Amino acid sequence: MTVGLFGGSFNPPHDGHRLVAETALRRLGLTRIWWIVTPGNPLKDHGALRPLDERIAMVRQMASPARSDVTAFEARYNVRYTADTLALVKLRRPDLKIVWVMGADSMATFHRWQEWRWIADNVPIAIVDRPHSTFPALASPFARRYAFARVAQEDARVLPYRQAPAWTFLFGPRNGTSSTGLREAVHVPS
């Protein structure tokens, strides 16, 4: 079974998130995608963070039930960092072929993540293009350091079976919706 792990605050989830998940499912030929709703991103302000249960419910409404699972196991296991999440999944489900899925906006700052090199060295990564993020992502420290491990998007279906480091950048339709923009729109005076 091939599973894409798509983590985030999803505060709130939006069509851009759905497009990333659906693109990864289709282009990588994944069996399932797990939406991992984090208790809180260590690199983001938690002041405007909606309650975890509320965000899980919103993701469940958005995610395609046919091939998606929505989980908050990071909260259950008191896991804070993606590297720890991936280590836990690999330990508990060694039978799975997993791929970390993220938008290009996250790739641009991936080098700031806790143990980002461990992640890249241990789990294949699929990056889905996002508006205004293509060039920052492809010029990022991650992209430069791991240029040798890039898999052409035409060969993306092999990514779940590749040994890390391995990554691909998937170009295609993009959706400009952002959680930050949605939160800011709520606070705009009329």
Side-chain angles (χ1 to χ4, degrees), residues 92-156:
R92 295 185 61 88
R93 294 296 305 270
D95 56 311
L96 295 180
K97 299 284 186 198
I98 62 172
V99 174
W100 181 253
V101 175
M102 65 179 157
D105 48 338
S106 294
M107 182 188 178
T109 58
F110 185 56
H111 62 283
R112 294 179 50 213
W113 293 22
Q114 181 86 11
E115 297 187 58
W116 69 276
R117 287 183 185 104
W118 183 92
I119 297 168
D121 288 337
N122 285 276
V123 178
I125 300 171
I127 299 98
V128 179
D129 202 7
R130 294 271 295 142
H132 315 295
S133 299
T134 309
F135 295 116
L138 293 174
S140 70
F142 165 79
R144 290 192 315 266
R145 179 179 175 93
Y146 289 96
F148 70 93
R150 185 172 177 183
V151 174
Q153 68 174 339
E154 296 79 23
D155 299 324

Side-chain angles (χ1 to χ4, degrees), residues 77-93:
Y77 289 99
N78 198 26
V79 176
R80 184 171 178 197
Y81 297 107
T82 299
D84 297 329
T85 299
L86 295 172
L88 179 65
V89 171
K90 287 171 75 76
L91 178 68
R92 295 185 61 88
R93 294 296 305 270

Side-chain angles (χ1 to χ4, degrees), residues 6-14 17 35-46 48-59 70-72 74 80 82 100 106 113 179-180 183:
F6 183 33
S9 301
F10 305 113
N11 187 43
H14 53 72
H17 291 130
W35 294 65
I36 303 172
V37 185
T38 183
N41 183 328
L43 296 176
K44 293 183 179 178
D45 176 21
H46 294 187
L49 191 63
R50 293 181 182 180
L52 182 61
D53 290 346
E54 185 179 322
R55 291 181 286 124
I56 291 168
M58 289 187 294
V59 171
V70 179
T71 179
E74 287 182 331
R80 184 171 178 197
T82 299
W100 181 253
S106 294
W113 293 22
S179 294
T180 302
R183 287 193 308 272

